[in-house]
Amino acid sequence: MQAIARLSRFVGNTFAIWVLLFAILAFFAPEQFTWIVPYIVPLLGIIMFGMGLTLSKKDFSEVFKRPVTVLIGVLGQFIIMPSLAWILCQALNLPPEIAVGVILVGCCPGGTASNVMTFLARGDVALSVAITSVTTLLAPVVTPALIYLLASQWLEVSAAAMFWSIVQVVILPIVLGLIAQALLRDKVEGCVNALPLVSVVAIVAIVAAVVAANQARIATTGLLIFAVVVLHNGLGLLLGYWLAKLAGLGVAQRKTLSIEVGMQNSGLGAALATAHFSPLAAVPSAIFSVWHNISGPIIATLFQRFKNDDKDVAPTSPGTAATE
């Protein structure tokens, strides 16, 4: 079991390399990866089940200790990224399927990779976990509503169908994970160390499947989508930091909100796009998954240079987070 734990840590620490490598392989040999496409939704369910296995009452305690700070983070997540996505789509006059894909990933909740990046940045990990947990639980209602509001001008959006999809692939697996944790605590604790490995394999498979299914279109539109994703992610990181600064939060919390706002649950975006729109609409999520796992470590390294102040909470370990 120790060998699996070491392998899991290694794979988790080098996640960006694996997702980039397999995205390239899927682009040049798409026939080797298209078989994964029907399994995108179940793979995301596995990731969410792993999140349920690691959640605890402590993760939600910050909501009651610092409700205003958590609320600022949640509002930042669900206002800044969707708004940026809509503005970029309008400004660049993106084709409908790509525009919907960009808005979709912008409307998703934060990904648990943000918890790890916050830890590396010496931010407020407890706050990061609380914001990720709350936005994830709110996603079945908020994400479809935002997508309906912002993307309906491009393609028909069924908010009800999307709500049910998120319940199935996010909420239900998390609840099952919590139940498994409660009933099989000792056995679950032994498996938790392997979760980064499982999560990395799942998200790499999702990215590879999306890239393979859209190889021809990526060849013609990939640079445009990549530019939009980089702008979306970069502006999200910047505005998240400014929001926290305007709210008078400490340096550690500014780092945390920057990362929470800028990093999305791109796996959910890819699954929803594939299920409700088209494979092309999933490409922004796939590219976002590649890019934010490159920009995340970069911004975390930069934030390490920002000295925390007296308002800050000492960083604690994020535990075993699924990587999205």
Side-chain angles (χ1 to χ4, degrees):
M1 200 66 188
Q2 289 184 345
I4 294 176
R6 285 196 296 270
L7 175 62
S8 186
R9 284 195 297 271
F10 170 75
V11 172
N13 292 336
T14 55
F15 172 71
I17 296 173
W18 297 112
V19 73
L20 181 60
L21 172 63
F22 278 89
I24 293 171
L25 290 174
F27 181 81
F28 287 105
E31 66 281 354
Q32 302 299 319
F33 297 93
T34 51
W35 64 271
I36 304 172
V37 172
Y39 301 101
I40 287 177
V41 172
L43 285 168
L44 179 64
I46 291 171
I47 295 171
M48 292 297 101
F49 178 75
M51 181 178 178
L53 289 178
T54 60
L55 284 177
S56 65
K57 293 179 181 178
K58 181 181 176 182
D59 296 330
F60 294 97
S61 64
E62 293 299 314
V63 178
F64 302 102
K65 289 180 181 176
R66 295 183 283 172
V68 175
T69 307
V70 173
L71 179 62
I72 291 170
V74 171
L75 290 176
Q77 174 69 59
F78 282 131
I79 293 175
I80 291 174
M81 291 304 274
S83 300
L84 283 174
W86 187 84
I87 291 169
L88 288 170
C89 292
Q90 294 285 354
L92 299 173
N93 194 26
L94 296 179
E97 289 178 300
I98 296 175
V100 169
V102 172
I103 288 175
L104 201 159
V105 73
C107 295
C108 284
T112 51
S114 62
N115 308 149
V116 179
M117 292 305 112
T118 299
F119 174 71
L120 295 176
R122 296 172 187 155
D124 190 335
V125 177
L127 177 63
S128 175
V129 172
I131 294 171
T132 299
S133 301
V134 172
T135 56
T136 299
L137 294 178
L138 290 175
V141 174
V142 178
T143 295
L146 287 171
I147 294 169
Y148 181 81
L149 177 67
L150 299 175
S152 293
Q153 69 184 83
W154 284 283
L155 293 174
E156 184 179 349
V157 177
S158 174
M162 206 168 292
F163 164 82
W164 181 235
S165 289
I166 299 175
V167 169
Q168 287 179 304
V169 302
V170 176
I171 302 302
L172 185 58
I174 288 176
V175 170
L176 291 175
L178 289 169
I179 293 171
Q181 181 189 153
L183 297 178
L184 306 168
R185 184 170 300 276
D186 293 338
K187 293 181 180 179
V188 165
E189 288 177 357
C191 297
V192 162
N193 289 332
L195 286 179
L197 176 61
V198 174
S199 298
V200 168
V201 170
I203 199 65
V204 166
I206 290 172
V207 171
V210 172
V211 171
N214 295 277
Q215 191 268 351
R217 291 178 176 178
I218 291 174
T220 57
T221 62
L223 287 178
L224 172 63
I225 299 174
F226 183 78
V228 172
V229 164
V230 171
L231 276 172
H232 195 193
N233 174 239
L235 290 171
L237 292 167
L238 180 63
L239 293 178
Y241 190 90
W242 281 354
L243 172 65
K245 188 173 182 179
L246 287 172
L249 301 181
V251 175
Q253 287 75 43
R254 295 177 201 172
K255 299 175 185 179
T256 302
L257 262 66
S258 170
I259 293 170
E260 278 299 315
V261 170
M263 297 187 73
Q264 302 293 90
N265 186 337
S266 49
L268 176 60
L272 290 176
T274 303
H276 296 279
F277 298 106
S278 69
L280 181 59
V283 172
S285 291
I287 294 179
F288 202 103
S289 184
V290 176
W291 174 247
H292 83 174
N293 281 287
I294 295 172
S295 66
I298 292 172
I299 197 69
T301 301
L302 175 64
F303 279 161
Q304 287 176 3
R305 300 173 182 269
F306 291 23
K307 186 178 179 181
N308 292 345
D309 54 33
D310 293 337
K311 299 179 185 179
D312 298 333
V313 176
T316 56
S317 171
T320 309
T323 306
E324 295 153 2

